Amino acid sequence: NAGVTQTPKFRVLKTGQSMTLLCAQDMNHEYMYWYRQDPGMGLRLIHYSVGEGTTAKGEVPDGYNVSRLKKQNFLLGLESAAPSQTSVYFCASSSFGQGTSPLHFGNGTRLTVT
Amino acid sequence: GDSVTQMEGPVTLSEEAFLTINCTYTATGYPSLFWYVQYPGEGLQLLLKATKADDKGSNKGFEATYRKETTSFHLEKGSVQVSDSAVYFCALTGDYKLSFGAGTTVTVRA
């Protein structure tokens, strides 16, 4: 049972480059989320989706875009990477809203922007 | 807005010691409260939760009680093991999202 799978696990970008992080879940969950984790700041919500074809902004959406074309996939894009986007990115999914059912997390993507 | 404050770490303990991690919250409504744990190299996973005042969540020897009067949800374990070394996050539901604390790193030495 794979759960939530994130690719890639590590990536180094130069300032101004673009990339897409892929999240896939095999639990048929409706809700999916992208978080970033920075030292001393906990997890902050970037974008989320409440179902296929829907996306919404979270707490820190600037500089990121997302798409949910298929229910099982949630893509996070960086169009022009900046050093401030150096972070560990986590994808998560849940069957219902965040207060009702637990979040299932992937193992994270460590991104460094130089 | 809704927020969570948890004690700063890192916390270093010996095996079989008692662990407490303090967590207090600010919320306008009646949030659900959670503790998530992150083991090295992994994503977060739910440790326990409580959905209303005076509820006690428990799992793997950990406990936390939802205290509305003190707006707290402190995590406790009576006898820690080396395998409990991890980062622990307190969280609450509020508005449209789950708000996390900054995390507390716990290291248990044999």
Side-chain angles (χ1 to χ4, degrees):
Chain A
N1 189 359
V4 178
T5 303
Q6 291 183 233
T7 52
K9 291 184 169 57
F10 303 95
R11 186 71 187 268
V12 178
L13 289 178
K14 294 186 190 302
T15 298
Q17 288 185 317
S18 63
M19 78 162 294
T20 300
L21 281 67
L22 172 64
C23 176
Q25 54 95 2
D26 62 1
M27 297 171 283
N28 202 35
H29 285 169
E30 290 292 337
Y31 293 71
M32 297 187 75
Y33 316 86
W34 276 108
Y35 289 90
R36 59 178 290 173
Q37 182 181 28
D38 300 294
M41 302 188 74
L43 275 74
R44 292 181 291 169
L45 183 64
I46 304 171
H47 286 280
Y48 64 102
S49 169
V50 301
E52 181 179 314
T54 75
T55 63
K57 293 180 180 180
E59 190 180 353
V60 287
D62 294 342
Y64 305 95
N65 56 75
V66 288
S67 64
R68 183 107 181 261
L69 298 180
K70 294 183 179 181
K71 186 177 183 179
Q72 63 268 34
N73 296 337
F74 195 30
L75 278 62
L76 177 71
L78 285 73
E79 291 184 347
S80 180
S84 60
Q85 294 178 304
T86 294
S87 187
V88 180
Y89 292 85
F90 286 99
C91 177
S93 69
S94 64
S95 51
F96 299 101
Q98 295 185 73
T100 309
S101 58
L103 269 64
H104 297 258
F105 284 84
N107 286 347
T109 296
R110 185 173 294 277
L111 174 66
T112 302
V113 183
T114 61
Chain B
D2 296 347
S3 66
V4 170
T5 302
Q6 62 182 104
M7 64 183 283
E8 294 184 14
V11 175
T12 303
L13 303 165
S14 297
E15 262 191 324
E16 301 182 1
F18 185 87
L19 171 67
T20 298
I21 304 176
N22 290 340
C23 172
T24 57
Y25 68 89
T26 302
T28 52
Y30 300 93
S32 293
L33 301 172
F34 306 82
W35 278 100
Y36 278 81
V37 58
Q38 183 181 28
Y39 297 105
E42 299 182 8
L44 281 72
Q45 55 186 275
L46 180 66
L47 180 59
L48 54 84
K49 72 174 185 179
T51 57
K52 61 183 187 296
D54 299 325
D55 266 2
K56 178 185 283 188
S58 61
N59 186 25
K60 299 182 179 181
F62 290 89
E63 292 184 340
T65 301
Y66 189 163
R67 302 283 188 202
K68 190 169 182 293
E69 64 276 13
T70 55
T71 61
S72 65
F73 193 55
H74 305 322
L75 182 68
E76 298 181 336
K77 186 172 184 181
S79 177
V80 294
Q81 304 300 313
V82 172
S83 57
D84 293 324
S85 297
V87 183
Y88 292 84
F89 292 90
C90 186
L92 64 74
T93 53
D95 302 329
Y96 59 88
K97 65 184 179 70
L98 196 59
S99 296
F100 287 90
T104 302
T105 300
V106 173
T107 302
V108 180
R109 294 181 174 169

